[in-house]
Amino acid sequence: VEPVQFGELKIIKSSSSPTVTTGNTNYSLKGAEYTVYTDSSCKQAYGKITTDENGEGTLSNLPFGIYYVKETKAPKG
């Protein structure tokens, strides 16, 4: 039996219109919430990732496998 290997999943959220959003207090990359699922129908939640002010977030100690990610909460703007 092989030992379980672990990794991490990193999300980077970005703006599709940085000329509009950069420096604009009505928009933020912070606070987007992504739910990580173990099934393609997105019913079996494994964990959540919330982005920081740079639009980045990580879920660590994730057993190797296939996962599905869905944005479940949008940030400001």
Side-chain angles (χ1 to χ4, degrees):
V1 174
E2 292 185 34
V4 176
Q5 293 182 323
F6 295 88
E8 69 179 24
L9 174 64
K10 183 174 185 177
I11 297 283
I12 302 174
K13 182 170 182 69
S14 61
S15 171
S16 61
S17 296
T19 55
V20 173
T21 59
T22 301
N24 187 334
T25 58
N26 292 314
Y27 296 94
S28 177
L29 297 174
K30 182 178 181 177
E33 185 176 278
Y34 293 86
T35 302
V36 179
Y37 299 91
T38 57
D39 64 310
S40 62
S41 61
C42 296
K43 303 273 188 224
Q44 301 294 317
Y46 182 85
K48 291 187 187 256
I49 300 172
T50 303
T51 57
D52 63 14
E53 60 278 346
N54 297 314
E56 299 180 9
T58 304
L59 180 60
S60 300
N61 296 317
L62 196 60
F64 279 13
I66 296 173
Y67 295 91
Y68 303 85
V69 180
K70 183 175 168 181
E71 186 177 53
T72 49
K73 180 183 172 193
K76 180 180 176 182

